[in-house]
Structure formats: structure tokens, C-alpha cells
Amino acid sequence: MNSVLQIRDLGIIENELKYNYLGVLSYSIEEEKINQVPVTYLYLDKNIYILLKEEDEKIGAIKYGAPVFFTIIKNESPKAADKLSLLYKSSVITISGSIKIVDEQKTI
């Protein structure tokens, strides 16, 4: 039995963003091609900060201001619901936005 629960409570979403540290950045590199890169991040002041190395050719293809998606996935250890089945619990948070260069000295 599959059960999907959609959460719109920002407190729960922010909590997950605070206590995780790895996500997947997805962005378009050509008209019909999507690139996905695992990245570490910092969630601070309702923003997600990602350190990008421009010498990486996959990262170098990102155009600043272009739309991107950032996803984190959390899986909990399976629990026995009864003797014959296991209960798996996962959460996925996907955020859409754009990549901007941080220019505020305090944030840097």
C-alpha cells in the first residue's frame, strides 16, 4: 500500500533543509537536456547557498538567472508494521528558483 502526503507547512520544510546537507541541483544545459549534480549546501536566512566550482565543466554550463531545481531526499530506516511487511518512510523536498551570485560581503 502506497501513501503520499503532501506537506505545505513551511516549518517542517525549513527543518528538513536545516538538518540535511546534501542535495541534487538540476538545470537545463540544452533545449531538451537536463543535468543533475549532487551538491552540499547551507540553508541560511531562507536562502540555499551552494558553493559551485566553475572549473567543473558540468557546473560551468549553468547560466546565472536561469531556472533550476534543488531537491533533497530523506529516507528513514524501515520499520516492521507487522510480521509480513515493512513500512518505509521517505520525504522529498523540491525547490525551484534561479542561481544568483552572492555579492553581499557579509554573506560571503
Side-chain angles (χ1 to χ4, degrees), residues 1 10-11 17 25 29 58 71-72 75:
M1 179 174 142
L10 288 179
L17 287 168
L25 182 67
I29 54 175
K58 288 183 179 181
T71 303
I72 61 170
N75 291 315

Side-chain angles (χ1 to χ4, degrees), residues 48-64:
I48 296 172
Y49 295 95
I50 301 169
L51 178 61
L52 302 174
K53 298 178 184 176
E54 291 190 18
E55 62 270 7
D56 182 349
E57 58 189 60
K58 288 183 179 181
I59 297 296
I62 295 177
K63 293 179 175 58
Y64 292 104

Side-chain angles (χ1 to χ4, degrees), residues 4 6 10 16 36-37 46 61 63 66 90 93-94 102:
V4 175
Q6 187 171 8
L10 288 179
E16 292 298 328
Q36 296 180 333
V37 179
K46 299 194 184 289
K63 293 179 175 58
S90 299
I93 297 172
T94 300
V102 176

Side-chain angles (χ1 to χ4, degrees), residues 35-97:
N35 199 13
Q36 296 180 333
V37 179
V39 292
T40 56
Y41 72 94
L42 173 65
Y43 180 72
L44 182 66
D45 299 329
K46 299 194 184 289
N47 290 297
I48 296 172
Y49 295 95
I50 301 169
L51 178 61
L52 302 174
K53 298 178 184 176
E54 291 190 18
E55 62 270 7
D56 182 349
E57 58 189 60
K58 288 183 179 181
I59 297 296
I62 295 177
K63 293 179 175 58
Y64 292 104
V68 296
F69 293 93
F70 180 74
T71 303
I72 61 170
I73 301 169
K74 178 182 172 188
N75 291 315
E76 293 182 13
S77 300
K79 299 176 184 174
D82 57 38
K83 293 181 181 179
L84 299 175
S85 66
L86 293 175
L87 177 64
Y88 291 90
K89 186 174 180 183
S90 299
S91 59
V92 177
I93 297 172
T94 300
I95 300 167
S96 61

